[in-house]
């Protein structure tokens, strides 16, 4: 799996990610908001405060850090 070039929050708790190789993926996190790991993201202002360092997707200045592999599992396994 490549590194994350950019990440953009979208409506309905979706993330648009552009990967280093040029591919893109949209991750739907709306159904994960009831899980312990992602519950904080139900706060829309926190969800929109997203960035990447290339290895992680990061919310809230480091409060929540998720790897690209974890996000791809959400895409593949739901």
């Amino acid at each position: 799996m490549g590194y994350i070039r950019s990440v953009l929050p979208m409506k309905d708790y979706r993330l648009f990610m552009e990967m280093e190789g040029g591919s893109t993926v949209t991750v739907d996190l709306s159904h994960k908001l009831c899980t312990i790991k992602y519950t904080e993201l139900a706060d829309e202002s926190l969800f929109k405060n997203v960035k990447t360092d290339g290895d992680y997707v990061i919310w809230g200045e480091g409060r929540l850090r998720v790897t690209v592999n974890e996000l791809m599992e959400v895409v593949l396994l739901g």
Side-chain angles (χ1 to χ4, degrees):
M1 204 60 56
Y3 289 106
I4 307 164
R5 183 182 295 167
S6 64
V7 62
L8 177 68
M10 300 170 63
K11 67 178 186 172
D12 300 324
Y13 297 98
R14 287 172 173 76
L15 287 179
F16 179 82
M17 297 189 309
E18 182 181 7
M19 309 311 285
E20 196 62 37
S23 62
T24 61
V25 64
T26 300
V27 183
D28 181 359
L29 291 171
S30 63
H31 61 283
K32 292 291 193 179
L33 300 178
C34 60
T35 65
I36 291 173
K37 180 165 186 117
Y38 296 98
T39 193
E40 287 185 83
L41 296 181
D43 176 348
E44 194 171 347
S45 63
L46 177 62
F47 180 78
K48 290 181 177 181
N49 181 19
V50 64
K51 63 183 178 181
T52 184
D53 65 2
D55 293 320
Y56 292 89
V57 173
I58 304 164
W59 285 274
E61 302 303 320
R63 274 175 49 190
L64 178 60
R65 295 166 46 97
V66 181
T67 67
V68 68
N69 289 340
E70 290 174 285
L71 291 170
M72 292 309 291
E73 282 182 18
V74 171
V75 170
L76 297 173
L77 303 175

